[in-house]
Amino acid sequence: MELQNYSLVSEFVLYGLCTSQHLQHFFFIFFSGIYVVTVLGNLIIVVTVISDPHLHSSPMYFLLGNLAFLDIWLASFATPKMIRDFLSDRKLISFGGCMAQIFFLHFIGGAEMVLLVSMAYDRYVAICKPLHYMTMMSRKTCMGLVLVSWVIGFVHSISQVAFTVNLPYCGPNEVDSFFCDLPLVIKLACMDTYVLGILMISDSGLLSMSCFVLLLVSYTVILITVRQHAAGGVSKALSTCSAHIMVVLLFFGPCIFIYVWPFSRFSVDKLLSVFYTIFTPLLNPLIYTLRNKEMKTAMKKLCNQHVTSH
């Protein structure tokens, strides 16, 4: 009821990535291609993991399939709208659509952060406790880890949106980005939101930093353990975990910069937002498949089966 009484804003105006007409036409073609490749790449990973019995029963690939599924949604919550807006003079989004973007960004982003921690734990058990791997990483444990990641993402997102949706929006409605993000939207409210903004952004920053620290600790323990127990262990451990470490740095770098230092220049934030919402979901399948023989073999097998059936 408060929303109806105090919020006179029914839609927001998005500034988009740029104002140049020629650049917008180029970006339309460029990001359309990126989006199609991203969705197809991650979809192929999901289908490959589901269809291959060996991969489907492996904890690492089960978690990877879930990561690819989340990446499809991460790439889709704002990118199609952005692509369509490149051909529009006025980039408008409804109040409900704006809140939905905030919800899905934090839901999917939060779930993916926790899932990356689960994948680090999987690598820790596989390398440091190989004899207990299948017991500690049973299907029930893997399902539990995935469920926990979704629950944490949902609770984190609901806590953000519940405050944002009830703020009074009575005048300014211009968002200097290509989608609605929390730090930009709460500044448009007709009240002093500085303290509330610090609390809400700190929530995202705390989740980002805590997951990032857990990941750093996990991979440090892996490297130290392997170095102590095997000759040439460092290179072997790096080979095993390098794909995971690359994805962690690509995903957490922009998130931490935006939510731990939320008052940086908008132009920098906009660039980082493009990176973690569009390019990270694209790079994940490339990093995992190009550096993984089992995945490439399974994909070739699936492709050959499809060709043979036709």
Side-chain angles (χ1 to χ4, degrees):
M1 293 301 292
E2 288 182 358
L3 185 63
Q4 294 175 347
N5 291 338
Y6 297 111
S7 289
L8 304 177
V9 173
S10 61
E11 61 186 13
F12 291 95
V13 178
L14 301 173
Y15 281 179
L17 286 181
C18 66
T19 55
S20 168
Q21 200 69 33
H22 295 296
L23 267 179
Q24 291 196 60
H25 288 151
F26 168 75
F27 283 152
F28 173 79
I29 298 169
F30 177 73
F31 284 111
S32 294
I34 292 289
Y35 178 67
V36 170
V37 171
T38 299
V39 172
L40 285 178
N42 283 290
L43 193 60
I44 288 170
I45 289 179
V46 173
V47 172
T48 303
V49 170
I50 292 173
S51 61
D52 189 287
H54 170 64
L55 297 185
H56 190 60
S57 61
S58 167
M60 183 178 79
Y61 292 108
F62 175 77
L63 295 174
L64 175 58
N66 279 276
L67 179 68
F69 178 74
L70 285 175
D71 277 332
I72 293 172
W73 286 101
L74 183 62
S76 301
F77 86 96
T79 307
K81 163 78 174 149
M82 179 193 73
I83 292 170
R84 190 182 68 195
D85 282 346
F86 284 133
L87 302 180
S88 304
D89 292 328
R90 279 178 62 78
K91 302 164 178 48
L92 302 175
I93 185 169
S94 68
F95 184 87
C98 186
M99 295 301 124
Q101 284 193 341
I102 293 174
F103 172 78
F104 283 112
L105 170 63
H106 289 271
F107 179 26
I108 300 161
E112 185 157 330
M113 287 179 189
V114 180
L115 187 63
L116 286 169
V117 174
S118 300
M119 294 176 74
Y121 174 71
D122 169 74
R123 290 300 83 207
Y124 164 76
V125 176
I127 293 173
C128 300
K129 300 180 185 292
L131 298 178
H132 305 284
Y133 180 62
M134 292 313 295
T135 305
M136 295 179 68
M137 292 301 296
S138 63
R139 178 47 59 98
K140 186 178 179 181
T141 303
C142 291
M143 293 288 286
L145 290 171
V146 171
L147 181 62
V148 166
S149 70
W150 281 76
V151 169
I152 291 177
F154 181 78
V155 171
H156 164 67
S157 184
I158 282 292
S159 68
Q160 303 283 56
V161 174
F163 285 107
T164 310
V165 77
N166 285 308
L167 291 174
Y169 301 94
C170 54
N173 68 336
E174 296 179 339
V175 179
D176 188 14
S177 187
F178 60 94
F179 69 94
C180 290
D181 198 5
L182 190 67
L184 304 179
V185 173
I186 59 174
K187 290 181 179 180
L188 302 177
C190 301
M191 61 177 285
D192 184 4
T193 58
Y194 183 80
V195 175
L196 180 62
I198 290 292
L199 290 173
M200 295 171 70
I201 293 166
S202 296
D203 185 9
S204 297
L206 181 64
L207 181 63
S208 302
M209 283 300 296
S210 57
C211 288
F212 187 63
V213 169
L214 283 172
L215 288 163
L216 284 180
V217 171
S218 298
Y219 288 119
T220 302
V221 170
I222 289 172
L223 292 175
I224 292 172
T225 303
V226 175
R227 185 176 185 178
Q228 290 174 344
H229 290 85
V234 174
S235 59
K236 180 182 177 182
L238 280 174
S239 176
T240 307
C241 300
S242 58
H244 293 253
I245 294 169
M246 286 172 68
V247 168
V248 166
L249 293 175
L250 290 171
F251 184 79
F252 279 89
C255 290
I256 290 172
F257 190 89
I258 290 172
Y259 290 107
V260 177
W261 293 279
F263 304 110
S264 57
R265 292 176 59 187
F266 284 150
S267 57
V268 177
D269 280 1
K270 202 181 289 188
L271 179 64
L272 293 172
S273 295
V274 170
F275 195 84
Y276 84 80
T277 59
I278 298 172
F279 288 109
T280 300
L282 169 68
L283 292 171
N284 281 0
L286 291 176
I287 291 169
Y288 280 114
T289 53
L290 291 177
R291 298 180 62 85
N292 193 302
K293 291 181 180 179
E294 284 184 285
M295 182 62 74
K296 285 191 283 188
T297 302
M299 285 180 175
K300 288 177 183 177
K301 183 180 174 183
L302 182 65
C303 184
N304 291 335
Q305 287 177 349
H306 183 73
V307 171
T308 304
S309 64
H310 286 73

